[in-house]
Amino acid sequence: QVQLVESGGGLVQAGGSLRLSCTASGSIFSTNNMGWYRQAPGAKRELVGLITPGDSTTYVDSVKGRFTISRDIAKPMVFLQMSSLKLEDTAVYYCYAEIASDGLGRYWDYWGQGTQVTVSS
């Protein structure tokens, strides 16, 4: 069993910053890509960004230059540093990870329960 637990969400004013953290625990042999998704009210869940085991990152265009994903592969943890927050960044943010529980190279997708980020004017 694998669990992802997020922390760090909350209420912040537009232009402010917030840092999300996600810790993976349980039966973990290795991790592949990790990252963050978000879902605003009435919208589909969208990819915010991903980070590879080699620390290469990709971001959705709307957050480029404002958000930064990093990871601690040993723990394993993934972080999302959000700056210059906008009203439209308001959403539930979900941690994502591809995790193998054995050495056979089979990775499965896991999601956290989500943490609310609300940006106010």
Side-chain angles (χ1 to χ4, degrees):
Q1 194 78 353
V2 173
Q3 284 189 321
L4 301 181
V5 178
E6 304 101 336
S7 62
L11 176 64
V12 62
Q13 285 192 324
S17 298
L18 210 56
R19 179 179 167 88
L20 305 183
S21 300
C22 172
T23 302
S25 62
S27 180
I28 300 171
F29 180 82
S30 66
T31 58
N32 195 26
N33 297 327
M34 300 183 77
W36 295 88
Y37 283 72
R38 68 184 180 185
Q39 187 167 18
K44 294 182 180 180
R45 188 175 297 190
E46 68 167 353
L47 174 67
V48 175
L50 289 175
I51 185 167
T52 70
D55 288 341
S56 295
T57 53
T58 58
Y59 300 94
V60 66
D61 285 347
S62 59
V63 308
K64 284 180 181 178
R66 300 188 298 120
F67 289 12
T68 302
I69 292 177
S70 59
R71 68 188 290 171
D72 182 336
I73 201 166
K75 290 187 175 179
M77 297 183 70
V78 63
F79 309 93
L80 180 65
Q81 178 66 49
M82 304 183 289
S83 303
S84 302
L85 282 160
K86 304 177 180 180
L87 297 179
E88 52 264 40
D89 293 320
T90 295
V92 177
Y93 284 71
Y94 297 91
C95 176
Y96 165 80
E98 299 165 3
I99 294 174
S101 295
D102 55 36
L104 299 179
R106 300 176 302 185
Y107 288 91
W108 303 94
D109 295 344
Y110 291 92
W111 301 86
Q113 291 186 321
T115 185
Q116 177 70 45
V117 172
T118 302
V119 183
S120 66
S121 58

